Amino acid sequence: MARTPTKAAIEPGAVRHIGSLKIVFRYLLRYPKQLAYAAIALLLAALATLAIPRQLQQMVDKGFGSQTGNIAPYFHYMFMIVGVLAIATAARFYFVSWLGERVVADLRRDVHANLLGQAPRFFEENRPSEISSRLTADTSVIEQTVGTTVSIALRNVVLGIGGIIYLFVLAPGLATMLVIGIPLIIVPIVLIGRKVRDVSRASQDRIADVGAMTSETLGAMKIVQAFGQEARERGRFAQAVEASFETACRRITWRAALTLVVITMIFSAITGIMWEGAADVVAGRLTGGTITAFIFAGVLTASSFGALTEVWGDILRGAGAAGRLGELLQAAPDISRGPKAVAMPAPRGSLSFDSVTFRYPTRPDDRALDDFTLTVEPGETVAVVGPSGAGKSTLFQLALRFYDPQRGTVRIDGVPLSSADPAELRQRIAYVPQETVLFAASARDNLRYGRWDAADEELWETARLANAETFLRGLPEGLDTYLGEGGARLSGGQRQRIAIARAMLRTAPILLLDEATSALDAESERLVQDALERLMVDRTTVVIAHRLATVRSANRIIVMDQGRIVEQGSHDALEAGGGLYARLAKLQFEGA
Ligand code: ATP
């Protein structure tokens, strides 16, 4: 059987993970009815398969062996058996595949749900591309394991054991010969079969090399020609093609050997048994029908054992995949509600940092915040300025409780965040990140990400305040217009205004605004600035400021460097002070 190698999903340690299939069983047990149907169908199909040789025996002995009597029933029975076999096999396929698909759907859903609850640290330690490959490739492996492999294994266990019992009932002497003979036939076939598979895989890799080389060269044709490297590329390609031919030759050699062994072994065995059986028939110890049935059942039993050795590797691969998914499924979030979470008081909008020291988990030696203290009163606007890497964005990461500080306390409305429910405290925050993140969805859905129950009139009103109304009205399908991957069909300034409108809709008392530094033209900048100023009204605002206008409208400016506050005061006072702020202001604002 040709098997596509899914080597990307195979880990060398897969063998150790056989216990990981427990997770899959737990999911399977949720569907006892379908499991029962599958088991019944599986058993019925195996029994019907085993009934075929018995019926063959009858047909040969009674149908061909005697000239008198009614032979029709033997053939009728055969039709019935074939009918049962067909229906039971189809039912088995349906239920087992259904279970495979169902388990995978449940696993995908649960893994995804667990991922949504993880803190950012998790995604810093596990690459998102790796996680999404687990969600797709590994779940497909499990689907194959449950939907195909396990069913093949169970069917062959039943057939193999049933077959051996049946063979002993038919002709104990011949059966003993066969039981001794089966391993002699199967072992070389399986060993050579494995070799064929390995060489096939190598052959596919060589073909992939040729493909990769082709696309690389064709993609860089101008460079190849400009540098006059055609001859070298021709040589390299010819080498790759020859390597692929040589591997293919090894593959066909082993394949030929396999064919030789299979035909020799199987037909010799059958002939040997027939010879031995014929002697028994001549001596009157067995009938012709029994020999026919024996050979049929013998081939069936032998191929069942052969198939079992084949599927073991697949089961291990499924276990490896289950293990990797299990890690995602069982990962406990760093930051969660916790048993001691206290209820938050009515929202007022105060935010404070009290002697906070924080190091990012992936950078345990660097203090992103160093004994940082700041209190923002309800309704106040505080602008934060400072050189790149000073720790400004980190303030927001902690206020949103994406991380917990190692020392000190962050509070919202007086409640220490470590004892608050993250979902509840985030409801009090409207966040406009530096990099606008929009979804591949309609303008309406992107706006409503701020609040799903907002009606269209409210969306338009907010869009107006955010200076987004004019361009939204100009979109071909208004709010229904699809904005493209990451909002790619809008300009940078338009994306920002959507992000601002989204934050406005949130009606949260605290606004965290990471002002974008991206170069906007003067007109867009004015529109965005206007929108931001409206957004700040009546809210407690902390703004990481890059624009002079924002800084001027703030009640207070704090200047950060290396995770600490180095200066604070009003624009004029700080500028007059001639410190870091004065230098930054000179660079940022006068140079702009
Ligand atoms: P900018 O103005 O360039 O955005 P910033 O003042 O906002 O800078 P932060 O993003 O708060 O700076 O970063 C403070 C320090 O923490 C920097 O040294 C940065 O390299 C580090 N840092 C930021 N995010 C992470 C992270 N996720 N993991 C590890 N270190 C981080």
Side-chain angles (χ1 to χ4, degrees):
M1 201 192 308
R3 271 166 219 283
T4 26
T6 47
K7 57 187 169 147
I10 308 170
E11 253 183 11
V15 180
R16 285 179 283 117
H17 292 154
I18 189 72
S20 329
L21 282 175
K22 270 203 307 246
I23 300 169
V24 178
F25 283 118
R26 270 210 301 277
Y27 276 86
L28 275 174
L29 289 177
R30 292 182 183 177
Y31 303 99
K33 214 163 64 187
Q34 282 79 0
L35 268 179
Y37 293 152
I40 292 169
L42 192 101
L43 215 63
L44 255 180
L47 288 178
T49 312
L50 285 174
I52 289 179
R54 203 192 110 69
Q55 206 48 36
L56 273 178
Q57 179 192 17
Q58 300 276 320
M59 275 159 52
V60 172
D61 282 349
K62 307 282 168 41
F64 298 110
S66 70
Q67 305 302 319
T68 56
N70 183 10
I71 61 168
Y74 305 112
F75 291 89
H76 287 165
Y77 277 132
M78 193 63 169
F79 279 127
M80 274 169 52
I81 291 170
V82 170
V84 171
L85 178 65
I87 294 170
T89 309
R92 187 205 68 212
F93 170 78
Y94 176 84
F95 286 114
V96 169
S97 308
W98 187 95
L99 281 167
E101 298 288 352
R102 193 60 253 164
V103 163
V104 163
D106 289 358
L107 262 172
R108 283 195 178 127
R109 195 194 52 213
D110 290 356
V111 168
H112 184 256
N114 197 40
L115 288 176
L116 285 182
Q118 297 298 325
R121 174 187 182 160
F122 183 84
F123 301 99
E124 284 164 15
E125 287 167 2
N126 300 280
R127 278 180 308 142
S129 60
E130 157 81 15
I131 295 175
S132 57
S133 131
R134 287 193 195 186
L135 255 183
T136 51
D138 283 345
T139 45
S140 302
V141 173
I142 289 183
E143 192 258 303
Q144 208 199 350
T145 309
V146 176
T148 315
T149 313
V150 170
S151 123
I152 294 179
L154 287 178
R155 183 178 65 135
N156 286 305
V157 166
V158 176
L159 271 184
I161 294 173
I164 286 193
I165 295 172
Y166 182 59
L167 289 172
F168 273 97
V169 171
L170 270 178
L174 284 183
T176 314
M177 259 178 71
L178 194 68
V179 167
I180 296 169
I182 282 181
L184 292 182
I185 302 173
I186 292 214
V187 168
I189 293 181
V190 166
L191 288 182
I192 301 180
R194 236 173 242 172
K195 189 76 198 168
V196 170
R197 230 178 33 209
D198 289 350
V199 189
S200 299
R201 203 165 282 179
S203 172
Q204 273 171 355
D205 287 350
R206 293 292 81 72
I207 294 170
D209 289 349
V210 172
M213 200 177 281
T214 316
S215 55
E216 188 195 49
T217 314
L218 294 185
M221 197 49 104
K222 283 187 183 153
I223 297 291
V224 172
Q225 292 178 347
F227 283 80
Q229 294 294 323
E230 293 93 328
R232 186 177 163 275
E233 290 301 330
R234 214 169 21 242
R236 240 163 46 100
F237 191 76
Q239 246 177 17
V241 170
E242 286 311 313
S244 124
F245 173 73
E246 273 162 32
T247 333
C249 280
R250 276 175 47 216
R251 176 173 57 88
I252 50 185
T253 310
W254 280 105
R255 226 13 255 223
L258 183 65
T259 313
L260 180 81
V261 172
V262 167
I263 294 180
T264 316
M265 291 294 215
I266 292 191
F267 283 94
S268 305
I270 292 176
T271 313
I273 288 169
M274 281 178 82
W275 190 356
E276 185 66 25
D280 284 346
V281 174
V282 171
R285 288 191 294 268
L286 289 179
T287 65
T290 312
I291 294 300
T292 314
F294 191 89
I295 290 170
F296 191 94
V299 170
L300 214 66
T301 312
S303 49
S304 299
F305 282 108
L308 276 180
T309 59
E310 283 273 301
V311 294
W312 181 239
D314 290 350
I315 289 183
L316 286 182
R317 198 164 67 207
R324 286 190 294 273
L325 278 175
E327 284 169 20
L328 293 186
L329 198 59
Q330 284 151 4
D334 276 352
I335 287 181
S336 60
R337 192 168 183 281
K340 284 184 283 193
V342 297
M344 304 272 294
R348 288 187 310 123
S350 73
L351 170 67
S352 69
F353 294 80
D354 186 6
S355 308
V356 170
T357 296
F358 172 67
R359 301 176 193 85
Y360 281 97
T362 48
R363 298 260 298 274
D365 297 330
D366 294 330
R367 295 177 178 202
L369 291 181
D370 187 5
D371 200 21
F372 182 93
T373 300
L374 171 72
T375 303
V376 187
E377 299 298 340
E380 197 184 6
T381 294
V382 171
V384 183
V385 298
S388 177
K392 304 182 296 289
S393 305
T394 305
L395 292 178
F396 290 3
Q397 307 289 315
L398 295 191
L400 284 158
R401 205 180 165 208
F402 286 149
Y403 304 90
D404 282 334
Q406 282 85 18
R407 270 219 337 258
T409 318
V410 185
R411 291 188 179 82
I412 284 182
D413 292 334
V415 175
L417 299 194
S418 51
S419 38
D421 175 356
E424 204 181 335
L425 74 89
R426 286 172 198 158
Q427 253 167 16
R428 298 179 179 216
I429 297 176
Y431 173 47
V432 182
Q434 190 164 15
E435 297 285 332
T436 305
V437 179
L438 295 188
F439 293 92
S442 65
R444 177 183 285 104
D445 284 353
N446 267 298
L447 287 171
R448 289 201 310 185
Y449 216 80
R451 187 154 49 82
W452 281 105
D453 59 10
D456 273 9
E457 300 82 67
E458 213 174 336
L459 295 185
W460 281 120
E461 172 59 16
T462 316
R464 192 179 59 76
L465 291 172
N467 279 342
E469 188 189 9
T470 322
F471 80 82
L472 279 174
R473 292 225 185 262
L475 291 176
E477 291 161 70
L479 289 178
D480 286 321
T481 311
Y482 172 68
L483 298 186
E485 197 79 26
R489 297 187 188 172
L490 296 180
S491 75
Q494 290 171 338
R495 279 203 290 273
Q496 281 183 352
R497 279 174 276 157
I498 296 233
I500 292 167
R502 180 166 73 187
M504 276 180 173
L505 273 171
R506 193 140 172 85
T507 54
I510 299 174
L511 170 65
L512 301 181
L513 185 59
D514 205 340
E515 233 184 18
T517 47
S518 58
L520 295 178
D521 59 65
E523 172 66 6
S524 305
E525 174 159 352
R526 194 187 54 75
L527 290 172
V528 170
Q529 188 60 41
D530 263 11
L532 286 177
E533 274 170 18
R534 287 196 198 115
L535 180 57
M536 290 184 208
V537 173
D538 298 334
R539 284 184 169 93
T540 309
T541 306
V542 182
V543 51
I544 297 176
H546 299 282
R547 294 184 177 93
L548 190 55
T550 323
V551 180
R552 284 213 163 118
S553 60
N555 303 104
R556 204 156 34 121
I557 300 167
I558 68 159
V559 186
M560 280 184 78
D561 194 18
Q562 299 185 355
R564 289 168 165 272
I565 297 182
V566 288
E567 291 166 25
Q568 59 178 311
S570 69
H571 171 74
D572 295 337
L574 287 169
E575 198 158 46
L580 178 60
Y581 179 82
R583 282 210 309 279
L584 286 171
K586 202 165 156 47
L587 278 174
Q588 281 186 19
F589 308 129
E590 287 170 15

